[in-house]
Amino acid sequence: MTGKIETVGIVGAGQMGSGIAHVSALAGYRVKLYDISPERIEAGIATISGNMARQVSSEKLEDKERQKALGRIAPANALEDLADCDLVIEAATEDETIKRKIFAQLCPILNPEALVATNTSSISITRLASQTDRAERFIGIHFMNPVPVMKLVELVRGIATEDLTFDTARAFVESLDKTITVAEDFPAFIVNRILLPMINEAIYTLYEGVGSVEAIDTAMKLGANHPMGPLQLADFIGLDTCLSIMQVLYEGLADSKYRPCPLLVKYVEAGWLGRKAGRGFYDYREDPPVPTR
Ligand SMILES: CC(=O)CC(=O)SCCNC(=O)CCNC(=O)[C@H](O)C(C)(C)COP(=O)(O)OP(=O)(O)OC[C@H]1O[C@@H](n2cnc3c(N)ncnc32)[C@H](O)[C@@H]1OP(=O)(O)O
Ligand SMILES: NC(=O)C1=CN([C@@H]2O[C@H](COP(=O)(O)OP(=O)(O)OC[C@H]3O[C@@H](n4cnc5c(N)ncnc54)[C@H](OP(=O)(O)O)[C@@H]3O)[C@@H](O)[C@H]2O)C=CC1
């Protein structure tokens, strides 16, 4: 048995929140998209519209379906607008303090039966759940970027997550035509436990002068058949997110092998957060983007 999901609330309208809204609306759910910055909601909906238009031009989607899906997405100007959601997926910045504050404000607004999920890349589901009034109805639903393209979703139970919550989350994700992998609640779960140390090592490789940005990315694209080089991928994920994940691994597993590269720290301190900021290991103000080292 699974619970019924009709309306999905999404908190955070950045690259992940808008991607989750995109696939949820296409699967027939009503979607309410909230962000702390109203202009981000507008930008998120514009991105969804553009990405759906690309799907129409590549004949993966009919224009009629695009229009219907866009019609199912409503901006939420306040968290209170999410009151009637059956499932709320938090996809705000990868910062535990921010996420805790969101759950503290959100949970009293929701129906007690509603499920709450987080798209966190790394933070303990059990710890986040303990900050809510519904640890049994809380779960990690970890989508991959870009959401409309990537097939995988990691499902992560907290220690208190009930079977009904897990089964409902699984049915929801399957209805989006995604493949599930189940990860235990350890720092950064499966994908990022493996991927982020590789990206961090690529940044050390740059930091130590073993190769240039271009050399490192070319090496991994052509030498290991990765679709993107690790520095290009770091910029794509967001360097702030990469650093937060490495910090969670470093602190959570207490092993120096996860020490974030000082160059990654410096880039984040400079505000060079990657593609979303216009500059990271590449400068995106140029077309094509120019490697910065
Ligand atoms: C950090 C975490 O917590 C976890 C993570 O997500 S880690 C990151 C995981 N993601 C990856 O590793 C992505 C690696 N990169 C890739 O797979 C590919 O480079 C890519 C799919 C992003 C782009 O593929 P590409 O072949 O270079 O580019 P392109 O031809 O433009 O795109 C392929 C398709 O994806 C679509 N697409 C590309 N970027 C998109 C985006 N941001 N949103 C929606 N659709 C997108 C394109 O429209 C295109 O679709 P069609 O075939 O229908 O035209
Ligand atoms: N990037 C990736 O590849 C992946 C990321 N994730 C996870 O998804 C989540 C979001 O990442 P991503 O979309 O990349 O990040 P983005 O930076 O693109 O988007 C985060 C959004 O959250 C907003 N936000 C910040 N604080 C609040 C708040 N209190 N209430 C509502 N919205 C808020 C931000 O607004 P503002 O900019 O104004 O602060 C921003 O619009 C993170 O937990 C991340 O780890 C998961 C899988 C892949």
Side-chain angles (χ1 to χ4, degrees), residues 51 54 58 60 121 142 144-146 148-150 192 195 227-228 233 237 245:
N51 282 335
R54 279 207 286 187
S58 60
K60 292 201 169 110
S121 294
H142 181 213
M144 304 294 137
N145 187 12
V149 180
M150 303 298 282
N192 289 332
L195 184 64
M228 283 177 168
L233 182 57
I237 292 169
I245 299 169

mmCIF file with all atom_site columns, all heavy atoms in Angstrom, residues 51 54 58 60 121 142 144-146 148-150 192 195 227-228 233 237 245, ligand 1:
data_model
loop_
_atom_site.group_PDB
_atom_site.id
_atom_site.type_symbol
_atom_site.label_atom_id
_atom_site.label_alt_id
_atom_site.label_comp_id
_atom_site.label_asym_id
_atom_site.label_entity_id
_atom_site.label_seq_id
_atom_site.pdbx_PDB_ins_code
_atom_site.Cartn_x
_atom_site.Cartn_y
_atom_site.Cartn_z
_atom_site.occupancy
_atom_site.B_iso_or_equiv
_atom_site.pdbx_formal_charge
_atom_site.auth_seq_id
_atom_site.auth_comp_id
_atom_site.auth_asym_id
_atom_site.auth_atom_id
_atom_site.pdbx_PDB_model_num
ATOM   1   N N   . ASN A 1 51  ? 13.597 24.198 -21.126 1.00 0.00 ? 51  ASN A N   1
ATOM   2   C CA  . ASN A 1 51  ? 14.022 22.788 -21.225 1.00 0.00 ? 51  ASN A CA  1
ATOM   3   C C   . ASN A 1 51  ? 12.927 21.916 -21.834 1.00 0.00 ? 51  ASN A C   1
ATOM   4   O O   . ASN A 1 51  ? 13.212 20.983 -22.591 1.00 0.00 ? 51  ASN A O   1
ATOM   5   C CB  . ASN A 1 51  ? 14.433 22.257 -19.850 1.00 0.00 ? 51  ASN A CB  1
ATOM   6   C CG  . ASN A 1 51  ? 15.821 22.735 -19.454 1.00 0.00 ? 51  ASN A CG  1
ATOM   7   O OD1 . ASN A 1 51  ? 16.653 23.056 -20.307 1.00 0.00 ? 51  ASN A OD1 1
ATOM   8   N ND2 . ASN A 1 51  ? 16.083 22.806 -18.169 1.00 0.00 ? 51  ASN A ND2 1
ATOM   9   N N   . ARG A 1 54  ? 13.019 22.396 -25.532 1.00 0.00 ? 54  ARG A N   1
ATOM   10  C CA  . ARG A 1 54  ? 14.077 21.573 -26.149 1.00 0.00 ? 54  ARG A CA  1
ATOM   11  C C   . ARG A 1 54  ? 13.586 20.138 -26.347 1.00 0.00 ? 54  ARG A C   1
ATOM   12  O O   . ARG A 1 54  ? 13.876 19.497 -27.343 1.00 0.00 ? 54  ARG A O   1
ATOM   13  C CB  . ARG A 1 54  ? 15.317 21.517 -25.240 1.00 0.00 ? 54  ARG A CB  1
ATOM   14  C CG  . ARG A 1 54  ? 16.184 22.739 -25.364 1.00 0.00 ? 54  ARG A CG  1
ATOM   15  C CD  . ARG A 1 54  ? 17.619 22.410 -25.029 1.00 0.00 ? 54  ARG A CD  1
ATOM   16  N NE  . ARG A 1 54  ? 17.838 22.208 -23.601 1.00 0.00 ? 54  ARG A NE  1
ATOM   17  C CZ  . ARG A 1 54  ? 19.030 22.034 -23.047 1.00 0.00 ? 54  ARG A CZ  1
ATOM   18  N NH1 . ARG A 1 54  ? 20.110 22.033 -23.798 1.00 0.00 ? 54  ARG A NH1 1
ATOM   19  N NH2 . ARG A 1 54  ? 19.150 21.854 -21.758 1.00 0.00 ? 54  ARG A NH2 1
ATOM   20  N N   . SER A 1 58  ? 13.263 18.146 -29.884 1.00 0.00 ? 58  SER A N   1
ATOM   21  C CA  . SER A 1 58  ? 13.919 16.861 -30.178 1.00 0.00 ? 58  SER A CA  1
ATOM   22  C C   . SER A 1 58  ? 12.907 15.709 -30.204 1.00 0.00 ? 58  SER A C   1
ATOM   23  O O   . SER A 1 58  ? 13.287 14.534 -30.133 1.00 0.00 ? 58  SER A O   1
ATOM   24  C CB  . SER A 1 58  ? 15.049 16.593 -29.185 1.00 0.00 ? 58  SER A CB  1
ATOM   25  O OG  . SER A 1 58  ? 14.537 16.550 -27.874 1.00 0.00 ? 58  SER A OG  1
ATOM   26  N N   . LYS A 1 60  ? 10.853 14.532 -28.101 1.00 0.00 ? 60  LYS A N   1
ATOM   27  C CA  . LYS A 1 60  ? 10.686 13.656 -26.922 1.00 0.00 ? 60  LYS A CA  1
ATOM   28  C C   . LYS A 1 60  ? 9.385  13.988 -26.219 1.00 0.00 ? 60  LYS A C   1
ATOM   29  O O   . LYS A 1 60  ? 8.961  13.279 -25.305 1.00 0.00 ? 60  LYS A O   1
ATOM   30  C CB  . LYS A 1 60  ? 11.851 13.868 -25.958 1.00 0.00 ? 60  LYS A CB  1
ATOM   31  C CG  . LYS A 1 60  ? 13.160 13.369 -26.529 1.00 0.00 ? 60  LYS A CG  1
ATOM   32  C CD  . LYS A 1 60  ? 14.193 13.094 -25.452 1.00 0.00 ? 60  LYS A CD  1
ATOM   33  C CE  . LYS A 1 60  ? 15.367 12.344 -26.038 1.00 0.00 ? 60  LYS A CE  1
ATOM   34  N NZ  . LYS A 1 60  ? 16.573 13.142 -26.121 1.00 0.00 ? 60  LYS A NZ  1
ATOM   35  N N   . SER A 1 121 ? 22.369 16.396 -0.881  1.00 0.00 ? 121 SER A N   1
ATOM   36  C CA  . SER A 1 121 ? 23.403 15.585 -1.535  1.00 0.00 ? 121 SER A CA  1
ATOM   37  C C   . SER A 1 121 ? 24.230 14.806 -0.535  1.00 0.00 ? 121 SER A C   1
ATOM   38  O O   . SER A 1 121 ? 25.025 13.958 -0.932  1.00 0.00 ? 121 SER A O   1
ATOM   39  C CB  . SER A 1 121 ? 24.384 16.505 -2.263  1.00 0.00 ? 121 SER A CB  1
ATOM   40  O OG  . SER A 1 121 ? 23.767 17.165 -3.300  1.00 0.00 ? 121 SER A OG  1
ATOM   41  N N   . HIS A 1 142 ? 16.968 11.719 -3.489  1.00 0.00 ? 142 HIS A N   1
ATOM   42  C CA  . HIS A 1 142 ? 18.126 12.423 -4.046  1.00 0.00 ? 142 HIS A CA  1
ATOM   43  C C   . HIS A 1 142 ? 18.184 12.269 -5.563  1.00 0.00 ? 142 HIS A C   1
ATOM   44  O O   . HIS A 1 142 ? 18.588 11.220 -6.081  1.00 0.00 ? 142 HIS A O   1
ATOM   45  C CB  . HIS A 1 142 ? 19.411 11.879 -3.385  1.00 0.00 ? 142 HIS A CB  1
ATOM   46  C CG  . HIS A 1 142 ? 20.650 12.547 -3.853  1.00 0.00 ? 142 HIS A CG  1
ATOM   47  N ND1 . HIS A 1 142 ? 21.862 11.909 -3.974  1.00 0.00 ? 142 HIS A ND1 1
ATOM   48  C CD2 . HIS A 1 142 ? 20.880 13.831 -4.248  1.00 0.00 ? 142 HIS A CD2 1
ATOM   49  C CE1 . HIS A 1 142 ? 22.771 12.745 -4.418  1.00 0.00 ? 142 HIS A CE1 1
ATOM   50  N NE2 . HIS A 1 142 ? 22.204 13.918 -4.601  1.00 0.00 ? 142 HIS A NE2 1
ATOM   51  N N   . MET A 1 144 ? 19.451 13.422 -9.456  1.00 0.00 ? 144 MET A N   1
ATOM   52  C CA  . MET A 1 144 ? 20.739 13.778 -10.059 1.00 0.00 ? 144 MET A CA  1
ATOM   53  C C   . MET A 1 144 ? 20.531 14.907 -11.073 1.00 0.00 ? 144 MET A C   1
ATOM   54  O O   . MET A 1 144 ? 19.453 15.053 -11.646 1.00 0.00 ? 144 MET A O   1
ATOM   55  C CB  . MET A 1 144 ? 21.357 12.563 -10.788 1.00 0.00 ? 144 MET A CB  1
ATOM   56  C CG  . MET A 1 144 ? 21.523 11.338 -9.916  1.00 0.00 ? 144 MET A CG  1
ATOM   57  S SD  . MET A 1 144 ? 22.713 11.569 -8.583  1.00 0.00 ? 144 MET A SD  1
ATOM   58  C CE  . MET A 1 144 ? 21.813 10.800 -7.236  1.00 0.00 ? 144 MET A CE  1
ATOM   59  N N   . ASN A 1 145 ? 21.564 15.643 -11.310 1.00 0.00 ? 145 ASN A N   1
ATOM   60  C CA  . ASN A 1 145 ? 21.548 16.840 -12.157 1.00 0.00 ? 145 ASN A CA  1
ATOM   61  C C   . ASN A 1 145 ? 22.132 16.531 -13.543 1.00 0.00 ? 145 ASN A C   1
ATOM   62  O O   . ASN A 1 145 ? 23.233 15.977 -13.589 1.00 0.00 ? 145 ASN A O   1
ATOM   63  C CB  . ASN A 1 145 ? 22.425 17.892 -11.429 1.00 0.00 ? 145 ASN A CB  1
ATOM   64  C CG  . ASN A 1 145 ? 22.392 19.249 -12.072 1.00 0.00 ? 145 ASN A CG  1
ATOM   65  O OD1 . ASN A 1 145 ? 21.572 19.521 -12.927 1.00 0.00 ? 145 ASN A OD1 1
ATOM   66  N ND2 . ASN A 1 145 ? 23.302 20.107 -11.651 1.00 0.00 ? 145 ASN A ND2 1
ATOM   67  N N   . PRO A 1 146 ? 21.484 16.881 -14.662 1.00 0.00 ? 146 PRO A N   1
ATOM   68  C CA  . PRO A 1 146 ? 20.197 17.552 -14.785 1.00 0.00 ? 146 PRO A CA  1
ATOM   69  C C   . PRO A 1 146 ? 19.028 16.570 -14.614 1.00 0.00 ? 146 PRO A C   1
ATOM   70  O O   . PRO A 1 146 ? 19.000 15.512 -15.271 1.00 0.00 ? 146 PRO A O   1
ATOM   71  C CB  . PRO A 1 146 ? 20.235 18.119 -16.210 1.00 0.00 ? 146 PRO A CB  1
ATOM   72  C CG  . PRO A 1 146 ? 21.219 17.277 -16.965 1.00 0.00 ? 146 PRO A CG  1
ATOM   73  C CD  . PRO A 1 146 ? 22.173 16.705 -15.972 1.00 0.00 ? 146 PRO A CD  1
ATOM   74  N N   . PRO A 1 148 ? 15.882 16.297 -15.606 1.00 0.00 ? 148 PRO A N   1
ATOM   75  C CA  . PRO A 1 148 ? 15.082 15.723 -16.699 1.00 0.00 ? 148 PRO A CA  1
ATOM   76  C C   . PRO A 1 148 ? 15.837 14.661 -17.497 1.00 0.00 ? 148 PRO A C   1
ATOM   77  O O   . PRO A 1 148 ? 15.216 13.853 -18.177 1.00 0.00 ? 148 PRO A O   1
ATOM   78  C CB  . PRO A 1 148 ? 14.769 16.942 -17.595 1.00 0.00 ? 148 PRO A CB  1
ATOM   79  C CG  . PRO A 1 148 ? 14.956 18.127 -16.706 1.00 0.00 ? 148 PRO A CG  1
ATOM   80  C CD  . PRO A 1 148 ? 16.058 17.760 -15.761 1.00 0.00 ? 148 PRO A CD  1
ATOM   81  N N   . VAL A 1 149 ? 17.170 14.648 -17.389 1.00 0.00 ? 149 VAL A N   1
ATOM   82  C CA  . VAL A 1 149 ? 17.961 13.734 -18.222 1.00 0.00 ? 149 VAL A CA  1
ATOM   83  C C   . VAL A 1 149 ? 18.444 12.509 -17.445 1.00 0.00 ? 149 VAL A C   1
ATOM   84  O O   . VAL A 1 149 ? 18.508 11.403 -17.980 1.00 0.00 ? 149 VAL A O   1
ATOM   85  C CB  . VAL A 1 149 ? 19.203 14.485 -18.788 1.00 0.00 ? 149 VAL A CB  1
ATOM   86  C CG1 . VAL A 1 149 ? 20.055 13.564 -19.652 1.00 0.00 ? 149 VAL A CG1 1
ATOM   87  C CG2 . VAL A 1 149 ? 18.783 15.727 -19.564 1.00 0.00 ? 149 VAL A CG2 1
ATOM   88  N N   . MET A 1 150 ? 18.796 12.681 -16.169 1.00 0.00 ? 150 MET A N   1
ATOM   89  C CA  . MET A 1 150 ? 19.461 11.600 -15.433 1.00 0.00 ? 150 MET A CA  1
ATOM   90  C C   . MET A 1 150 ? 18.429 10.586 -14.932 1.00 0.00 ? 150 MET A C   1
ATOM   91  O O   . MET A 1 150 ? 17.403 10.964 -14.364 1.00 0.00 ? 150 MET A O   1
ATOM   92  C CB  . MET A 1 150 ? 20.255 12.171 -14.248 1.00 0.00 ? 150 MET A CB  1
ATOM   93  C CG  . MET A 1 150 ? 21.283 13.217 -14.650 1.00 0.00 ? 150 MET A CG  1
ATOM   94  S SD  . MET A 1 150 ? 22.575 12.596 -15.742 1.00 0.00 ? 150 MET A SD  1
ATOM   95  C CE  . MET A 1 150 ? 23.599 11.754 -14.566 1.00 0.00 ? 150 MET A CE  1
ATOM   96  N N   . ASN A 1 192 ? 27.584 10.395 -4.334  1.00 0.00 ? 192 ASN A N   1
ATOM   97  C CA  . ASN A 1 192 ? 28.527 11.461 -3.980  1.00 0.00 ? 192 ASN A CA  1
ATOM   98  C C   . ASN A 1 192 ? 29.684 10.978 -3.115  1.00 0.00 ? 192 ASN A C   1
ATOM   99  O O   . ASN A 1 192 ? 30.727 11.620 -3.066  1.00 0.00 ? 192 ASN A O   1
ATOM   100 C CB  . ASN A 1 192 ? 27.789 12.621 -3.309  1.00 0.00 ? 192 ASN A CB  1
ATOM   101 C CG  . ASN A 1 192 ? 26.951 13.366 -4.326  1.00 0.00 ? 192 ASN A CG  1
ATOM   102 O OD1 . ASN A 1 192 ? 27.286 13.395 -5.511  1.00 0.00 ? 192 ASN A OD1 1
ATOM   103 N ND2 . ASN A 1 192 ? 25.853 13.955 -3.890  1.00 0.00 ? 192 ASN A ND2 1
ATOM   104 N N   . LEU A 1 195 ? 31.714 10.003 -6.215  1.00 0.00 ? 195 LEU A N   1
ATOM   105 C CA  . LEU A 1 195 ? 31.957 11.054 -7.226  1.00 0.00 ? 195 LEU A CA  1
ATOM   106 C C   . LEU A 1 195 ? 32.728 12.249 -6.668  1.00 0.00 ? 195 LEU A C   1
ATOM   107 O O   . LEU A 1 195 ? 33.631 12.771 -7.324  1.00 0.00 ? 195 LEU A O   1
ATOM   108 C CB  . LEU A 1 195 ? 30.597 11.520 -7.776  1.00 0.00 ? 195 LEU A CB  1
ATOM   109 C CG  . LEU A 1 195 ? 30.624 12.534 -8.904  1.00 0.00 ? 195 LEU A CG  1
ATOM   110 C CD1 . LEU A 1 195 ? 31.278 11.952 -10.145 1.00 0.00 ? 195 LEU A CD1 1
ATOM   111 C CD2 . LEU A 1 195 ? 29.209 13.001 -9.234  1.00 0.00 ? 195 LEU A CD2 1
ATOM   112 N N   . PRO A 1 227 ? 31.313 11.772 -19.585 1.00 0.00 ? 227 PRO A N   1
ATOM   113 C CA  . PRO A 1 227 ? 30.659 12.727 -20.496 1.00 0.00 ? 227 PRO A CA  1
ATOM   114 C C   . PRO A 1 227 ? 31.131 14.160 -20.278 1.00 0.00 ? 227 PRO A C   1
ATOM   115 O O   . PRO A 1 227 ? 31.136 14.965 -21.213 1.00 0.00 ? 227 PRO A O   1
ATOM   116 C CB  . PRO A 1 227 ? 29.168 12.589 -20.159 1.00 0.00 ? 227 PRO A CB  1
ATOM   117 C CG  . PRO A 1 227 ? 29.096 11.859 -18.867 1.00 0.00 ? 227 PRO A CG  1
ATOM   118 C CD  . PRO A 1 227 ? 30.360 11.077 -18.716 1.00 0.00 ? 227 PRO A CD  1
ATOM   119 N N   . MET A 1 228 ? 31.521 14.490 -19.051 1.00 0.00 ? 228 MET A N   1
ATOM   120 C CA  . MET A 1 228 ? 32.080 15.816 -18.750 1.00 0.00 ? 228 MET A CA  1
ATOM   121 C C   . MET A 1 228 ? 33.374 15.592 -17.986 1.00 0.00 ? 228 MET A C   1
ATOM   122 O O   . MET A 1 228 ? 33.455 14.642 -17.195 1.00 0.00 ? 228 MET A O   1
ATOM   123 C CB  . MET A 1 228 ? 31.158 16.574 -17.786 1.00 0.00 ? 228 MET A CB  1
ATOM   124 C CG  . MET A 1 228 ? 29.923 17.157 -18.381 1.00 0.00 ? 228 MET A CG  1
ATOM   125 S SD  . MET A 1 228 ? 28.986 17.914 -17.018 1.00 0.00 ? 228 MET A SD  1
ATOM   126 C CE  . MET A 1 228 ? 27.783 18.827 -17.947 1.00 0.00 ? 228 MET A CE  1
ATOM   127 N N   . LEU A 1 233 ? 32.323 19.279 -14.558 1.00 0.00 ? 233 LEU A N   1
ATOM   128 C CA  . LEU A 1 233 ? 31.213 18.728 -13.764 1.00 0.00 ? 233 LEU A CA  1
ATOM   129 C C   . LEU A 1 233 ? 31.097 19.459 -12.425 1.00 0.00 ? 233 LEU A C   1
ATOM   130 O O   . LEU A 1 233 ? 29.985 19.748 -11.966 1.00 0.00 ? 233 LEU A O   1
ATOM   131 C CB  . LEU A 1 233 ? 31.429 17.219 -13.552 1.00 0.00 ? 233 LEU A CB  1
ATOM   132 C CG  . LEU A 1 233 ? 30.333 16.477 -12.773 1.00 0.00 ? 233 LEU A CG  1
ATOM   133 C CD1 . LEU A 1 233 ? 28.957 16.653 -13.437 1.00 0.00 ? 233 LEU A CD1 1
ATOM   134 C CD2 . LEU A 1 233 ? 30.665 14.988 -12.646 1.00 0.00 ? 233 LEU A CD2 1
ATOM   135 N N   . ILE A 1 237 ? 27.745 21.213 -11.137 1.00 0.00 ? 237 ILE A N   1
ATOM   136 C CA  . ILE A 1 237 ? 27.081 20.927 -9.849  1.00 0.00 ? 237 ILE A CA  1
ATOM   137 C C   . ILE A 1 237 ? 26.974 22.217 -9.038  1.00 0.00 ? 237 ILE A C   1
ATOM   138 O O   . ILE A 1 237 ? 25.946 22.495 -8.406  1.00 0.00 ? 237 ILE A O   1
ATOM   139 C CB  . ILE A 1 237 ? 27.883 19.867 -9.050  1.00 0.00 ? 237 ILE A CB  1
ATOM   140 C CG1 . ILE A 1 237 ? 27.814 18.503 -9.741  1.00 0.00 ? 237 ILE A CG1 1
ATOM   141 C CG2 . ILE A 1 237 ? 27.391 19.772 -7.608  1.00 0.00 ? 237 ILE A CG2 1
ATOM   142 C CD1 . ILE A 1 237 ? 28.786 17.462 -9.187  1.00 0.00 ? 237 ILE A CD1 1
ATOM   143 N N   . ILE A 1 245 ? 29.542 19.202 0.320   1.00 0.00 ? 245 ILE A N   1
ATOM   144 C CA  . ILE A 1 245 ? 29.543 17.729 0.341   1.00 0.00 ? 245 ILE A CA  1
ATOM   145 C C   . ILE A 1 245 ? 30.878 17.222 0.896   1.00 0.00 ? 245 ILE A C   1
ATOM   146 O O   . ILE A 1 245 ? 30.916 16.316 1.741   1.00 0.00 ? 245 ILE A O   1
ATOM   147 C CB  . ILE A 1 245 ? 29.269 17.143 -1.067  1.00 0.00 ? 245 ILE A CB  1
ATOM   148 C CG1 . ILE A 1 245 ? 27.897 17.578 -1.583  1.00 0.00 ? 245 ILE A CG1 1
ATOM   149 C CG2 . ILE A 1 245 ? 29.381 15.617 -1.051  1.00 0.00 ? 245 ILE A CG2 1
ATOM   150 C CD1 . ILE A 1 245 ? 27.639 17.277 -3.059  1.00 0.00 ? 245 ILE A CD1 1
HETATM 151 C C1  . LIG B 2 .   ? 25.872 16.567 -6.765  1.00 0.00 ? 1   LIG B C1  1
HETATM 152 C C2  . LIG B 2 .   ? 24.826 15.534 -6.528  1.00 0.00 ? 1   LIG B C2  1
HETATM 153 O O1  . LIG B 2 .   ? 24.232 15.514 -5.428  1.00 0.00 ? 1   LIG B O1  1
HETATM 154 C C3  . LIG B 2 .   ? 24.534 14.430 -7.470  1.00 0.00 ? 1   LIG B C3  1
HETATM 155 C C4  . LIG B 2 .   ? 24.675 14.756 -8.926  1.00 0.00 ? 1   LIG B C4  1
HETATM 156 O O2  . LIG B 2 .   ? 23.747 15.158 -9.565  1.00 0.00 ? 1   LIG B O2  1
HETATM 157 S S1  . LIG B 2 .   ? 26.201 14.570 -9.547  1.00 0.00 ? 1   LIG B S1  1
HETATM 158 C C5  . LIG B 2 .   ? 26.037 15.024 -11.226 1.00 0.00 ? 1   LIG B C5  1
HETATM 159 C C6  . LIG B 2 .   ? 25.467 13.907 -12.072 1.00 0.00 ? 1   LIG B C6  1
HETATM 160 N N1  . LIG B 2 .   ? 25.403 14.345 -13.442 1.00 0.00 ? 1   LIG B N1  1
HETATM 161 C C7  . LIG B 2 .   ? 26.370 14.078 -14.328 1.00 0.00 ? 1   LIG B C7  1
HETATM 162 O O3  . LIG B 2 .   ? 27.331 13.414 -14.019 1.00 0.00 ? 1   LIG B O3  1
HETATM 163 C C8  . LIG B 2 .   ? 26.162 14.701 -15.670 1.00 0.00 ? 1   LIG B C8  1
HETATM 164 C C9  . LIG B 2 .   ? 27.309 14.394 -16.610 1.00 0.00 ? 1   LIG B C9  1
HETATM 165 N N2  . LIG B 2 .   ? 27.033 14.987 -17.913 1.00 0.00 ? 1   LIG B N2  1
HETATM 166 C C10 . LIG B 2 .   ? 26.192 14.429 -18.815 1.00 0.00 ? 1   LIG B C10 1
HETATM 167 O O4  . LIG B 2 .   ? 25.646 13.354 -18.612 1.00 0.00 ? 1   LIG B O4  1
HETATM 168 C C11 . LIG B 2 .   ? 26.002 15.179 -20.118 1.00 0.00 ? 1   LIG B C11 1
HETATM 169 O O5  . LIG B 2 .   ? 27.097 16.031 -20.298 1.00 0.00 ? 1   LIG B O5  1
HETATM 170 C C12 . LIG B 2 .   ? 24.673 16.014 -20.149 1.00 0.00 ? 1   LIG B C12 1
HETATM 171 C C13 . LIG B 2 .   ? 23.490 15.048 -20.133 1.00 0.00 ? 1   LIG B C13 1
HETATM 172 C C14 . LIG B 2 .   ? 24.547 16.980 -18.990 1.00 0.00 ? 1   LIG B C14 1
HETATM 173 C C15 . LIG B 2 .   ? 24.642 16.832 -21.412 1.00 0.00 ? 1   LIG B C15 1
HETATM 174 O O6  . LIG B 2 .   ? 24.772 15.969 -22.487 1.00 0.00 ? 1   LIG B O6  1
HETATM 175 P P1  . LIG B 2 .   ? 25.429 16.438 -23.870 1.00 0.00 ? 1   LIG B P1  1
HETATM 176 O O7  . LIG B 2 .   ? 25.239 15.321 -24.812 1.00 0.00 ? 1   LIG B O7  1
HETATM 177 O O8  . LIG B 2 .   ? 26.788 16.955 -23.613 1.00 0.00 ? 1   LIG B O8  1
HETATM 178 O O9  . LIG B 2 .   ? 24.652 17.720 -24.246 1.00 0.00 ? 1   LIG B O9  1
HETATM 179 P P2  . LIG B 2 .   ? 23.334 17.927 -25.052 1.00 0.00 ? 1   LIG B P2  1
HETATM 180 O O10 . LIG B 2 .   ? 23.346 17.231 -26.358 1.00 0.00 ? 1   LIG B O10 1
HETATM 181 O O11 . LIG B 2 .   ? 23.193 19.409 -25.036 1.00 0.00 ? 1   LIG B O11 1
HETATM 182 O O12 . LIG B 2 .   ? 22.232 17.296 -24.109 1.00 0.00 ? 1   LIG B O12 1
HETATM 183 C C16 . LIG B 2 .   ? 21.753 15.975 -24.190 1.00 0.00 ? 1   LIG B C16 1
HETATM 184 C C17 . LIG B 2 .   ? 20.299 16.009 -23.820 1.00 0.00 ? 1   LIG B C17 1
HETATM 185 O O13 . LIG B 2 .   ? 20.151 16.465 -22.470 1.00 0.00 ? 1   LIG B O13 1
HETATM 186 C C18 . LIG B 2 .   ? 19.307 17.615 -22.413 1.00 0.00 ? 1   LIG B C18 1
HETATM 187 N N3  . LIG B 2 .   ? 19.841 18.521 -21.406 1.00 0.00 ? 1   LIG B N3  1
HETATM 188 C C19 . LIG B 2 .   ? 21.123 18.926 -21.295 1.00 0.00 ? 1   LIG B C19 1
HETATM 189 N N4  . LIG B 2 .   ? 21.253 19.714 -20.226 1.00 0.00 ? 1   LIG B N4  1
HETATM 190 C C20 . LIG B 2 .   ? 20.039 19.817 -19.669 1.00 0.00 ? 1   LIG B C20 1
HETATM 191 C C21 . LIG B 2 .   ? 19.542 20.481 -18.544 1.00 0.00 ? 1   LIG B C21 1
HETATM 192 N N5  . LIG B 2 .   ? 20.323 21.225 -17.747 1.00 0.00 ? 1   LIG B N5  1
HETATM 193 N N6  . LIG B 2 .   ? 18.229 20.348 -18.248 1.00 0.00 ? 1   LIG B N6  1
HETATM 194 C C22 . LIG B 2 .   ? 17.427 19.616 -19.011 1.00 0.00 ? 1   LIG B C22 1
HETATM 195 N N7  . LIG B 2 .   ? 17.843 18.945 -20.099 1.00 0.00 ? 1   LIG B N7  1
HETATM 196 C C23 . LIG B 2 .   ? 19.136 19.051 -20.418 1.00 0.00 ? 1   LIG B C23 1
HETATM 197 C C24 . LIG B 2 .   ? 19.390 18.235 -23.784 1.00 0.00 ? 1   LIG B C24 1
HETATM 198 O O14 . LIG B 2 .   ? 18.212 18.950 -24.097 1.00 0.00 ? 1   LIG B O14 1
HETATM 199 C C25 . LIG B 2 .   ? 19.530 17.023 -24.658 1.00 0.00 ? 1   LIG B C25 1
HETATM 200 O O15 . LIG B 2 .   ? 18.253 16.473 -24.872 1.00 0.00 ? 1   LIG B O15 1
HETATM 201 P P3  . LIG B 2 .   ? 17.825 15.985 -26.324 1.00 0.00 ? 1   LIG B P3  1
HETATM 202 O O16 . LIG B 2 .   ? 18.664 14.775 -26.584 1.00 0.00 ? 1   LIG B O16 1
HETATM 203 O O17 . LIG B 2 .   ? 16.381 15.697 -26.139 1.00 0.00 ? 1   LIG B O17 1
HETATM 204 O O18 . LIG B 2 .   ? 18.120 17.134 -27.235 1.00 0.00 ? 1   LIG B O18 1
#
